[in-house]
Amino acid sequence: MSRKYPLSKIRNIGIMAHIDAGKTTTTERILFYTGKTYKVGDVNEGSTEMDWMIQERERGITITSAATRCEWKGYAFNIIDTPGHVDFTIEVERSIRVLDGSIALFCAVGGVEPQSETVWRQADRYHVPRIAFVNKMDRIGADFFGAVNMMRDRLHANPVIIQIPIGAEDKFSGVVDLIEMRAYVWENNGGENHGATFMTVPIPAYLEAQAAKYRDKMLEAISDFDDVFMENYINGNSVTPDEIRRVLRKGTLKAEITPVMCGSAFRNKGVQPLLDAVIDFLPAPVDVPPIQGQDPETEQIISRPADDSAPFAALAFKVVADPHVGKLTYIRVYSGRCEDGDYMYNANKEQNERLNRLLLMHANQRTQIKEISTGDIAAVVGIKETKTGDTLCDPDHPILIEPMNFPEPVISVAIEPKTKSDEEKLALTLSRLSDEDPTFCVRTDPETGQTIISGMGELHLEIIVDRLKREFNVAANVGHPQVAYRETIETMVEAEGRFVKQTGGLGQYGHVWLRVEPMEPGFGFEFINKVVGGTIPREYIPSIEKGVIEAMTSGVLAGYPMVDLRVSVYDGSYHPVDSSDIAFKVAGSIALKEAARKGRPYLLEPIMSLEVVIPSINLGDVIGYLQQHRAKIEDIRARRDLQVVHANAPLAEMFGYSTELRSDTQGRGTFTMQFSHYARVSADVQERICGKIY
């Protein structure tokens, strides 16, 4: 079947930003101008297409990434609108993983905010080219050049200004295009047609000198990417707009520069040039390097080019538990093509999956399609075992694409069904939701038998519980939030584990010596076999490791998981008849527990990076509260008539802080926080948590 769009005319892009920077509003304008929708959605009215969940419309925030496809000037755009709240950063992570390019939105007032930094680092990690759009130029305090400077200072980016604003705040009316050296002007609020049409006019006289200055800076910045262009620039020869776009594109695709534009999506100004910039500067699937992965059998690195004739290779980047159609698996196709009903090989699970139905998604709306091919982002119904991060590929040409990394949950609550009839439904639904969200975990406390759910923050778990009730009709009671502490040890120790059991007939015998060392924060876990001379047969070593890992799930202080350990098995003994895998597994577990007791164990707590924006008059009260709650003030900066406080604070002290901050600032203060690292708790806090100190 022939393609509607050649690969060179496909753009897979995401819109990423800090919360409330205007991502969804911008996406809604894009859908309107491209003809995908015929009514402009409004976040405040709860009428947006992309924020389709009840919780999203009620709260005015994006919770889950939503995919859609639209068309602009003969190009197909696959767009993913991502959340801005730190609790849902996994939605950004898995979206960026499969995108070719991205639009980074910045508020003209706030500039680069904490979550802006997080998503920028995520895009850096996956080498995703970006263009920047400084939004909300109509707001009081809008500062385009200030936002650009913050990009340079905070993100260590190389922003290249290709537009400058005409006016600001209530006088913002359009932009000056530095490539074409002409101005685009919109009616106030976009007029009756919501900004669908605009006027091209000469550059206002008072901006001519500024436009010439920044055009020269633009040409100088991009001349490094093309020798011929540099020669023309140095010699004072004229360069055409097409030449400028070509070299700008070259630098952007290398992710070495970021073209910067501006506008006001809410006022319907500046979005159409942004769409043109997506075509001009962001990559098509053929512009990015071939996807690489491992051959599952040989473990050699292999690649798949962006070509329909190549073997099929796709990455599952999102799973949705849909109450109506069941499990929806979102995939990005990197090479090849397939039709509905085809079988593909899951290289992670080592089994075939039948792609029963293929769907093109528009938020929560579905259109059934017959086939998918290179560059497509689609959803599949009917595949049962595939999880987020799994590779689907041609059974005859397997490939294992590197999966995504997910952060660990930092907050937990106990949950129980309200009625006996909800008990089975609760367990089933929680399992489905954990399949959907890798940062949401469900476990049973072995001591109390309680069901414990864990997530990235209070809002994250609040949304989960709300979805249980509304989407799946499961009523539940929820306990108070609990912090996800960790345990580790202070000193290197050696410990013996011996499991000997004789009850007549065949007995059990396992005997090991472990050396356990504390490692630097964030190290994780490493197991090393240092047994020599055959004191423990090689076949029992994996069982010892299993026992160690199992013991690490529950520490000796307060039952929290143990982290940052290197464990070496260096000696032991075995019985030629009674030794078994289970015996050495138990012995490994006993030895690890003993080592933990002897190694001066201590607790680690999650530390959050905090940014608090407050009126200057409230600075003293806010600082006082934070210091009383074990926060460490890192920096205080003035931002016009506001103060911005950067601090590191224990998560345990931050529950309910939003209410406290509203009270201290008469509702004018805001804050954002995200997980930073784990740190050792003080002795008095440890005693309070554990009841004793080792």
Side-chain angles (χ1 to χ4, degrees):
M1 207 173 154
S2 61
R3 281 182 161 274
K4 184 178 179 181
Y5 297 96
L7 274 172
S8 61
K9 291 196 170 185
I10 290 177
R11 298 289 185 269
N12 291 320
I13 62 170
I15 301 179
M16 62 185 200
H18 186 83
I19 191 170
D20 204 33
K23 296 179 301 299
T24 300
T25 299
T26 303
T27 307
E28 293 295 320
R29 298 311 183 269
I30 289 173
L31 296 178
F32 178 73
Y33 299 141
T34 58
K36 185 72 178 182
T37 60
Y38 299 96
K39 180 177 179 290
V40 175
D42 190 303
V43 172
N44 297 323
E45 294 176 0
S47 59
T48 59
E49 291 278 323
M50 302 304 281
D51 285 351
W52 57 270
M53 293 174 65
I54 297 173
Q55 296 87 346
E56 292 177 315
R57 294 186 170 184
E58 286 179 349
R59 298 163 189 264
I61 62 170
T62 301
I63 292 170
T64 182
S65 55
T68 188
R69 170 177 277 202
C70 57
E71 303 170 6
W72 180 253
K73 296 185 176 179
Y75 286 73
F77 289 7
N78 292 316
I79 300 175
I80 299 180
D81 177 29
T82 63
H85 197 286
V86 66
D87 283 18
F88 310 107
T89 190
I90 179 59
E91 294 287 338
V92 184
E93 178 84 18
R94 58 186 174 188
S95 299
I96 289 177
R97 175 68 174 82
V98 299
L99 295 171
D100 300 325
S102 178
I103 300 170
L105 254 66
F106 301 95
C107 173
V109 180
V112 176
E113 298 174 277
Q115 189 64 2
S116 308
E117 297 180 51
T118 301
V119 297
W120 194 270
R121 288 195 300 271
Q122 289 171 316
D124 280 342
R125 187 160 57 250
Y126 295 116
H127 309 290
V128 176
R130 282 141 276 178
I131 55 179
F133 184 71
V134 180
N135 193 27
K136 301 193 176 186
M137 284 300 304
D138 60 303
R139 282 187 59 190
I140 294 173
D143 183 355
F144 172 73
F145 298 104
V148 175
N149 289 333
M150 288 178 75
M151 288 178 63
R152 197 174 286 111
D153 296 339
R154 290 199 181 185
L155 304 176
H156 307 292
N158 185 15
V160 175
I161 294 172
I162 64 172
Q163 287 180 349
I164 60 172
I166 302 175
E169 300 179 350
D170 60 343
K171 303 245 180 345
F172 176 69
S173 60
V175 298
V176 174
D177 183 341
L178 302 181
I179 299 174
E180 296 282 353
M181 287 303 281
R182 58 190 180 193
Y184 305 128
V185 177
W186 284 260
E187 293 182 45
N188 191 34
N189 294 336
E192 293 182 0
N193 62 3
H194 303 288
T197 58
F198 54 93
M199 295 178 289
T200 303
V201 299
I203 298 172
Y206 75 94
L207 284 175
E208 285 179 353
Q210 189 183 40
K213 171 188 168 183
Y214 280 100
R215 187 176 199 267
D216 198 53
K217 285 187 175 185
M218 173 186 71
L219 297 177
E220 183 180 353
I222 67 174
S223 61
D224 292 337
F225 299 100
D226 191 279
D227 292 340
V228 175
F229 187 91
M230 178 183 284
E231 189 176 339
N232 285 330
Y233 171 70
I234 291 172
N235 294 330
N237 300 330
S238 63
V239 288
T240 66
D242 285 344
E243 287 177 305
I244 296 171
R245 290 191 189 93
R246 177 181 63 80
V247 181
L248 263 168
R249 178 177 181 82
K250 202 171 180 180
T252 307
L253 294 188
K254 289 181 177 179
E256 293 182 13
I257 60 172
T258 304
V260 184
M261 311 173 72
C262 58
S264 170
F266 183 69
R267 301 297 179 189
N268 309 304
K269 298 172 183 177
V271 177
Q272 294 93 331
L274 178 64
L275 290 170
D276 292 338
V278 169
I279 292 173
D280 291 338
F281 308 128
L282 291 184
V286 291
D287 295 320
V288 298
I291 191 70
Q292 289 192 325
Q294 278 188 341
D295 185 310
E297 294 184 1
T298 65
E299 295 187 356
Q300 289 185 326
I301 300 298
I302 54 178
S303 61
R304 293 282 185 268
D307 189 336
D308 288 348
S309 60
F312 186 84
L315 184 69
F317 66 94
K318 180 174 178 174
V319 175
V320 176
D322 191 296
H324 305 292
V325 300
K327 185 176 170 183
L328 276 176
T329 306
Y330 286 71
I331 63 172
R332 157 69 198 268
V333 184
Y334 287 101
S335 65
R337 56 176 295 279
C338 74
E339 297 180 354
D340 56 352
D342 285 352
Y343 282 89
M344 289 297 162
Y345 181 66
N346 185 321
N348 301 79
K349 303 294 189 296
E350 299 182 350
Q351 62 185 62
N352 288 328
E353 295 263 41
R354 187 172 187 267
L355 282 57
N356 287 334
R357 291 170 61 199
L358 304 175
L359 304 172
L360 192 63
M361 301 300 295
H362 172 61
N364 65 328
Q365 301 171 34
R366 302 173 285 269
T367 303
Q368 192 162 342
I369 52 179
K370 289 293 185 184
E371 69 168 4
I372 51 176
S373 49
T374 307
D376 283 345
I377 293 175
V380 184
V381 179
I383 50 180
K384 298 178 181 177
E385 302 301 324
T386 300
K387 303 276 195 270
T388 299
D390 287 357
T391 301
L392 291 170
C393 55
D394 186 327
D396 298 324
H397 301 86
I399 185 174
L400 187 60
I401 300 171
E402 183 183 0
M404 292 164 267
N405 295 315
F406 305 118
E408 287 193 22
V410 296
I411 186 173
S412 303
V413 297
I415 188 169
E416 61 182 24
K418 278 193 175 180
T419 64
K420 192 72 176 174
S421 60
D422 286 322
E423 192 169 344
E424 189 175 333
K425 286 168 60 181
L426 178 65
L428 182 63
T429 306
L430 288 176
S431 175
R432 292 175 67 181
L433 291 173
S434 65
D435 287 343
E436 177 180 320
D437 184 351
T439 61
F440 172 67
C441 301
V442 185
R443 64 181 177 88
T444 301
D445 188 300
E447 294 184 2
T448 64
Q450 287 181 304
T451 300
I452 308 296
I453 58 174
S454 306
M456 300 306 297
E458 289 179 274
L459 180 60
H460 186 195
L461 296 183
E462 188 182 322
I463 295 295
I464 291 286
V465 173
D466 196 48
R467 289 186 63 192
L468 282 173
K469 182 180 179 181
R470 298 202 195 193
E471 290 182 31
F472 301 94
N473 198 30
V474 179
N477 296 319
V478 179
H480 295 295
Q482 300 293 319
V483 177
Y485 293 100
R486 297 289 183 265
E487 298 184 21
T488 191
I489 61 174
E490 191 172 339
T491 61
M492 189 273 286
V493 291
E494 295 179 347
E496 181 184 25
R498 182 187 292 269
F499 181 66
V500 181
K501 192 174 181 181
Q502 193 70 48
T503 56
L506 190 66
Q508 296 286 354
Y509 186 95
H511 175 220
V512 302
W513 277 94
L514 300 182
R515 184 177 296 114
V516 184
E517 305 168 69
M519 303 304 295
E520 62 272 10
F523 176 82
F525 168 71
E526 183 181 16
F527 184 84
I528 302 173
N529 177 19
K530 291 187 176 181
V531 175
V532 294
T535 55
I536 301 176
R538 184 177 294 274
E539 62 262 29
Y540 294 132
I541 301 299
S543 298
I544 299 170
E545 183 179 3
K546 287 179 183 175
V548 168
I549 292 172
E550 190 173 287
M552 285 179 62
T553 61
S554 178
V556 296
L557 283 176
Y560 294 106
M562 299 190 71
V563 295
D564 302 334
L565 298 178
R566 176 182 287 134
V567 179
S568 306
V569 54
Y570 67 93
D571 203 1
S573 61
Y574 75 103
H575 190 283
V577 177
D578 291 348
S579 286
S580 63
D581 285 326
I582 188 68
F584 275 100
K585 180 182 175 182
V586 175
S589 178
I590 292 170
L592 192 283
K593 291 287 189 185
E594 180 63 22
R597 292 186 191 95
K598 293 165 58 179
R600 296 209 292 271
Y602 62 89
L603 282 185
L604 299 165
E605 64 179 341
I607 304 297
M608 312 302 286
S609 178
L610 193 68
E611 183 181 91
V612 189
V613 182
I614 51 173
S616 298
I617 194 172
N618 303 120
L619 181 62
D621 291 336
V622 170
I623 294 290
Y625 181 89
L626 290 174
Q627 290 178 334
Q628 289 172 17
H629 289 77
R630 300 195 287 130
K632 181 182 178 184
I633 308 300
E634 299 288 334
D635 185 35
I636 302 173
R637 296 182 185 180
R639 185 187 294 171
R640 301 178 189 89
D641 59 339
L642 301 172
Q643 296 290 329
V644 183
V645 180
H646 292 98
N648 286 329
L651 175 62
E653 302 286 347
M654 289 293 103
F655 295 133
Y657 184 57
S658 56
T659 303
E660 177 66 30
L661 185 62
R662 282 196 295 269
S663 174
D664 285 347
T665 63
Q666 292 78 50
R668 297 169 65 195
T670 61
F671 84 102
T672 55
M673 72 178 180
Q674 57 190 333
F675 173 73
S676 175
H677 61 280
Y678 273 92
R680 184 170 185 169
V681 303
S682 62
D684 61 321
V685 175
Q686 179 167 308
E687 187 173 21
R688 192 168 66 242
I689 296 169
C690 305
K692 56 183 176 179
I693 303 177
Y694 283 75

